[in-house]
Amino acid sequence: MKVTQIPFKKTGFFSNTMIDYLEQKDSLKPFYNNFPDITGFYNQIEEKETSFSLQTRLVLAEALKNQYLNFDVSSKTEENIHLLKLKNTFTITTGHQLNLFTGPLYFLYKIISAINLAEELSEKFPEKNFVPVYWMATEDHDFDEINYFNFKGKKVVWNREDGGAVGRFSTKGLENVLNVFANELGGSKNATYLKNLFSEGYLKHNNLAEATRYIANELFKEYGLIIVDGDDKELKELFIPFVYEELENGISYKEVSKTIEKLEENYKIQVNPREINLFYLGDNFRERIVFEDGIYKVNNTEITFTKSEILKEVEQNPSAFSPNVIMRPLYQEVILPNICYLGGGGEMAYWFELKKYFKKVNVPFPILLLRNSVQVISEKQQRKLDKLDISIEELFLDQHELLSKKVIQNADLEVNFNEKINYLEQQFKELKVVAEKTDVTFINAVKAQEKKQIKGLENLQKRLIRAEKRRQKDLVDRITFLQNEILPNQSLEERQRNFSEYYLEYGKEFIIALKKSLKPLDLQFTVLEL
């Protein structure tokens, strides 16, 4: 196993928002609290420790104990749940949708990042306890985003009627998906493990939340991972004051809207708030709550409430009120003694919209940490890269740029167009100095001639590259095939492939290798050669 780290910026796959955050640019500083370094964690611990109540800890621990009934709880996870009752225990949290059979590879990277960060902080702050948490997005209703996974270029799909919170979906019908998947796996020891994991998860549990808990627990229980289902009556009772505030005053809309005005001056906005950022949740539906003509209405239903009626409903039936993407982070931070949230670039971007809202409702805003991101390369692929003289950083170049660079390097040519363009620009720079001493028409003529000649050289360069690509067709084909193999659809494989492809080949050693390799606080992209 060989581990190489490169800056996230060098991959070309991360937004300016994320790059500016990692570089701690001043333009983003108003939108987060503490940065993920040791000083930041020290300050965050102090802030959370003084604000998080013992009563909330006891409710959380009891709710988790109930959620794990009928599951094989490891001694490490059991110990971590118990530790949550202590005021010096904090969580490191990541969250993810209930994708079929974990969905894309980065599901693993998120959770291992949380596990490794908890362990690292336990060493740096030995008087405190840190436990890793996976928050299941059980109340999501975007079934089309989670009903499939990719295996060796094929889509394995679960077809069923959509409707309601996905965590409550029955697992009925998934035996057909297993049959399709099993036919692709073969009969190896690792294939048998994957079939059993799928079967035990989906065919022996009644709903998607239980099935996902089983699978995540089986993969990570030895590391003490705690899996939280927010669709829980006891936990939602803790959130009642914030639901009241939202229904009566629409506070999230006001505060997030103010933040967006400032944030969008430099960055793309990830999500926009609604006037009420809550859903009403039933067994087969999850619909927005809207306020019209003095009445609270549940969208696409006949359900309505007066103000007094809906406040009474919150008190009597808190499970029916489901936070949307704007309020879910607050719900998480209200019920968990959390100091850090690990997420992908898209998640981080919408968290940046929320700091002002958190401050208004007097809840500490957590440290935000870009999760570990990984590219796996086999020994065979690395040998091919070496033979083609492609470095790890070059691998992430746009394919046209990579091919152009390599065919020029491999060509028997003395000409360097970039040097000639630079030389031309210098010559025209001197001409412009002279032109400025004459009149404006001469200056414009010089600029036009410069543009024409540089454009001519660029066109010649393009023609040369096209000719060299034809002449070096074998090299072009080999580079194209290899880059497409490593980066499917010209994107990061972690967004395309499922963990089962690598588990089939490497077994548990794949997870062990990730556990050894991922260093969350290094803030680097990881390339793992196996």
Side-chain angles (χ1 to χ4, degrees), residues 314-329:
V314 173
E315 183 182 354
Q316 295 180 344
N317 188 20
S319 295
F321 293 84
S322 176
N324 75 353
V325 66
I326 295 292
M327 287 191 72
R328 190 218 43 89

Side-chain angles (χ1 to χ4, degrees), residues 455-491:
K455 185 69 174 176
L457 278 177
E458 288 173 345
N459 287 335
L460 285 173
Q461 184 181 34
K462 289 176 183 176
R463 290 186 65 176
L464 175 65
I465 289 171
R466 284 199 296 269
E468 281 299 317
K469 283 182 179 178
R470 288 193 296 270
R471 191 178 71 82
Q472 300 181 48
K473 185 178 183 305
D474 179 61
L475 177 67
V476 168
D477 288 347
R478 286 159 61 205
I479 292 174
T480 301
F481 179 83
L482 182 58
Q483 192 187 44
N484 288 346
E485 183 180 58
I486 296 172
L487 301 173
N489 300 320
Q490 288 293 288
S491 68

Side-chain angles (χ1 to χ4, degrees), residues 124-323:
K124 295 187 185 301
F125 300 93
E127 73 283 4
K128 310 292 184 185
N129 307 304
F130 303 90
V131 299
V133 166
Y134 160 45
W135 180 286
M136 295 193 295
T138 53
E139 294 179 66
D140 277 7
H141 61 272
D142 296 318
F143 183 58
D144 288 344
E145 294 182 5
I146 68 163
N147 70 333
Y148 70 95
F149 64 94
N150 297 315
F151 181 77
K152 294 188 175 181
K154 297 180 180 179
K155 208 169 186 177
V156 181
V157 184
W158 178 24
N159 293 310
R160 56 148 286 156
E161 286 291 316
D162 195 357
V166 295
R168 301 182 181 186
F169 279 11
S170 166
T171 52
K172 188 177 180 181
L174 276 165
E175 59 272 14
N176 297 327
V177 178
L178 174 59
N179 291 335
V180 172
F181 183 40
N183 288 335
E184 300 289 336
L185 284 171
S188 68
K189 178 183 174 183
N190 292 336
T192 300
Y193 173 84
L194 291 168
K195 291 173 194 174
N196 288 339
L197 183 64
F198 192 105
S199 176
E200 292 289 321
Y202 294 110
L203 306 191
K204 294 189 178 179
H205 293 89
N206 294 326
N207 60 47
L208 195 53
E210 290 179 358
T212 304
R213 180 186 296 276
Y214 174 84
I215 289 169
N217 186 56
E218 285 301 303
L219 291 173
F220 299 110
K221 62 185 177 183
E222 67 185 274
Y223 304 114
L225 180 68
I226 293 174
I227 302 164
V228 177
D229 182 355
D231 189 7
D232 182 293
K233 182 175 182 292
E234 283 68 34
L235 296 180
K236 285 195 173 177
E237 284 176 350
L238 297 171
F239 199 54
I240 286 175
F242 301 91
V243 176
Y244 283 161
E245 186 75 50
E246 180 69 8
L247 291 169
E248 291 190 276
N249 300 315
I251 192 166
S252 65
Y253 177 78
K254 296 171 186 174
E255 297 304 321
V256 175
S257 295
K258 290 177 194 173
T259 300
I260 284 175
E261 281 184 27
K262 297 291 185 183
L263 188 61
E264 67 183 353
E265 291 175 6
N266 296 295
Y267 302 103
K268 181 182 176 182
I269 298 304
Q270 192 71 13
V271 295
N272 286 290
R274 297 186 181 277
E275 292 186 359
I276 296 176
N277 289 290
L278 290 166
F279 289 92
Y280 191 80
L281 187 60
D283 286 337
N284 298 304
F285 68 92
R286 182 180 185 245
E287 295 288 349
R288 288 192 297 116
I289 299 171
V290 295
F291 186 67
E292 295 175 351
D293 304 321
I295 298 293
Y296 293 90
K297 302 176 182 178
V298 179
N299 214 28
N300 298 318
T301 74
E302 299 298 317
I303 302 171
T304 61
F305 299 96
T306 64
K307 181 178 178 181
S308 60
E309 286 171 343
I310 200 167
L311 295 181
K312 185 176 181 181
E313 177 75 355
V314 173
E315 183 182 354
Q316 295 180 344
N317 188 20
S319 295
F321 293 84
S322 176

